[in-house]
Amino acid sequence: MSTSSSVPSDPTPSSSSSSLSSSEDHFDRLPDSILLLIFNRVKDIRALGRCCSVSKRFNSVALQADTVLIKIDCVISTDTDTDTDTDTDTPSSSSSKPKGIFGNLVKILLTSVFKPFQALHQILLPKKGISAQISHHSPVQVLKNFKEIRTLQIELPVGELGVDCGALLKWTAEFGCSLDSCVILGATSFWNNSTSPIIDLAAADNADSDHAPSPSIEDHFCTNGDLKRRVVWTITSLIAASARHYLLREIVAEHQTVEDLVLTDAGGQGTLRMGKAQLEEFRQSPMEAVAVSAHRTQVPALNMKLWYAAQLKLPESGCVMEGATLVEIRPVDRPVRRENDAIAACSFDEPFDEAVKAMVKGKTYLLEMNPF
């Protein structure tokens, strides 16, 4: 008894099926829910905009994305004396008076409370102001067709605060209708050198916490202008944070579904965060006349903790910080939102979190600041 297998003699059906398969759009086989997951991973607003132009289906699904990242290319001044939409420096702009909120605040500070800080105006006048409009299209215009956003990230082109070459200045702030907390980390110099024979003073303070720090360190910090510099860092960081917060009001009001918002810059200098409860508080609070005239949210009265190390070596990352300063800020009249009192410990990524953890073990300076 023999067996035989039948082999199709006509290859036409197979060829036809292959031809159909090669011309099929496999995205059409995906359900909208999977397509939406892909668009949420894409999240960049420009890429999503291109996807919207592919087909009616892509347009419909992409606009339902709940995670969106918008990167702002350039920020231009909105000074009432000029009507330009370019971001290049011109001879006339370099000789004109200070513009925007930074220029106005300089005048106030230099003529009132902070008269001793003669160098303040040099730091408060960046080349491009944060109180500004975006060239060609504002974030509000770009986002107007996205109605389901829950997580929104906005990235500015650069940080507002100029620092000396080799220096470090970073801040992270949380806001509701006003400032909830702010943490600032700065250093006069910062570099990677694991073999540098620099003493870890924060660790030394922790090992001998029952004794007062060396008088030379106290004198170095309090008498040679370092304390004034740190106050300037603190003020300018708070101004930058409150200016960013002011700019978000229209976006937050237009997008009621947003539950998590992060506004940062390409260089990672400053980060502003708002959670669900904070965003709701922001939407319900009326805009103060002071904020409208200053183009920034008013900073309330503050309590501050400051830690300082003349030199700090970070063994895990191999980085070295000189003149390292950490400032933890809370409004006087606002409750603590976190169970953990040390909000600074979770404010920065590596290697800066290592510096924060080392510094909070050292001596703490307590400061207060009036509203401005």
Side-chain angles (χ1 to χ4, degrees):
M1 184 174 181
S2 64
T3 61
S4 65
S5 61
S6 61
V7 179
S9 59
D10 184 4
T12 303
S14 177
S15 299
S16 176
S17 175
S18 175
S19 175
L20 179 63
S21 177
S22 62
S23 63
E24 183 181 4
D25 186 349
H26 295 289
F27 264 100
D28 289 340
R29 302 172 60 184
L30 295 176
D32 287 354
S33 58
I34 299 299
L35 196 57
L36 183 57
L37 287 175
I38 296 172
F39 288 143
N40 281 329
R41 290 294 186 94
V42 171
K43 72 182 180 179
D44 181 77
I45 194 76
R46 291 181 178 178
L48 290 174
R50 295 187 185 101
C51 291
C52 287
S53 66
V54 171
S55 66
K56 290 183 178 180
R57 184 187 180 215
F58 271 35
N59 180 74
S60 174
V61 178
L63 291 178
Q64 299 175 39
D66 60 22
T67 302
V68 174
L69 166 66
I70 178 169
K71 295 183 179 181
I72 300 172
D73 286 336
C74 61
V75 181
I76 61 174
S77 174
T78 56
D79 195 307
T80 55
D81 294 338
T82 182
D83 188 24
T84 178
D85 60 0
T86 64
D87 63 344
T88 57
D89 297 329
T90 62
S92 60
S93 65
S94 62
S95 59
S96 62
K97 62 184 179 181
K99 299 179 179 181
I101 60 167
F102 292 96
N104 293 334
L105 189 68
V106 169
K107 295 178 182 179
I108 295 173
L109 294 181
L110 293 181
T111 56
S112 57
V113 181
F114 295 99
K115 288 181 180 179
F117 305 139
Q118 299 299 323
L120 189 60
H121 68 289
Q122 298 295 335
I123 299 178
L124 291 179
L125 296 177
K127 292 182 179 180
K128 296 176 176 63
I130 181 63
S131 179
Q133 292 179 341
I134 308 308
S135 178
H136 303 112
H137 299 287
S138 71
V140 176
Q141 292 174 317
V142 173
L143 294 169
K144 66 180 181 181
N145 292 324
F146 291 83
K147 305 299 184 182
E148 306 294 332
I149 302 175
R150 296 187 180 278
T151 300
L152 177 60
Q153 298 171 263
I154 303 175
E155 184 180 288
L156 299 174
V158 292
E160 306 90 320
L161 309 179
V163 294
D164 296 334
C165 181
L168 170 74
L169 181 58
K170 297 178 71 69
W171 59 265
T172 180
E174 291 192 3
F175 277 80
C177 63
S178 183
L179 180 69
D180 275 356
S181 65
C182 184
V183 179
I184 302 166
L185 178 66
T188 53
S189 61
F190 175 80
W191 69 95
N192 192 312
N193 185 4
S194 59
T195 61
S196 177
I198 294 181
I199 301 172
D200 186 345
L201 293 179
D205 283 343
N206 183 49
D208 193 19
S209 57
D210 294 334
H211 296 82
S214 168
S216 62
I217 299 175
E218 293 279 358
D219 293 343
H220 176 80
F221 180 54
C222 297
T223 63
N224 74 342
D226 275 7
L227 180 58
K228 290 182 180 180
R229 177 182 292 183
R230 272 63 181 181
V231 172
V232 170
W233 284 355
T234 300
I235 294 171
T236 52
S237 297
L238 288 170
I239 292 171
S242 63
R244 291 188 188 187
H245 181 253
Y246 175 84
L247 293 178
L248 292 173
R249 180 168 291 276
E250 188 174 357
I251 295 175
V252 172
E254 289 290 331
H255 296 274
Q256 298 286 323
T257 59
V258 175
E259 298 178 349
D260 183 26
L261 191 153
V262 177
L263 175 57
T264 185
D265 56 81
Q269 184 182 77
T271 301
L272 184 150
R273 302 181 185 275
M274 300 179 74
K276 183 177 181 179
Q278 294 164 319
L279 287 162
E280 188 60 31
E281 181 184 276
F282 190 34
R283 293 185 184 103
Q284 295 177 357
S285 64
M287 177 64 73
E288 297 181 1
V290 174
V292 174
S293 61
H295 300 289
R296 66 175 180 85
T297 303
Q298 186 176 20
V299 178
L302 304 172
N303 286 328
M304 298 185 292
K305 295 180 181 179
L306 184 148
W307 294 269
Y308 172 81
Q311 295 175 321
L312 182 66
K313 185 175 180 180
L314 308 175
E316 292 183 12
S317 61
C319 294
V320 177
M321 301 176 71
E322 191 165 342
T325 307
L326 176 67
V327 185
E328 182 182 285
I329 303 169
R330 287 198 185 98
V332 172
D333 59 349
R334 293 185 71 83
V336 177
R337 292 182 180 271
R338 303 175 187 271
E339 294 182 2
N340 183 1
D341 187 63
I343 60 173
C346 54
S347 297
F348 302 103
D349 296 329
E350 296 181 357
F352 307 109
D353 62 335
E354 184 185 356
V356 169
K357 291 174 183 177
M359 294 190 69
V360 295
K361 299 175 183 178
K363 179 179 176 63
T364 304
Y365 298 86
L366 300 179
L367 303 172
E368 294 182 355
M369 182 175 290
N370 292 328
F372 61 91

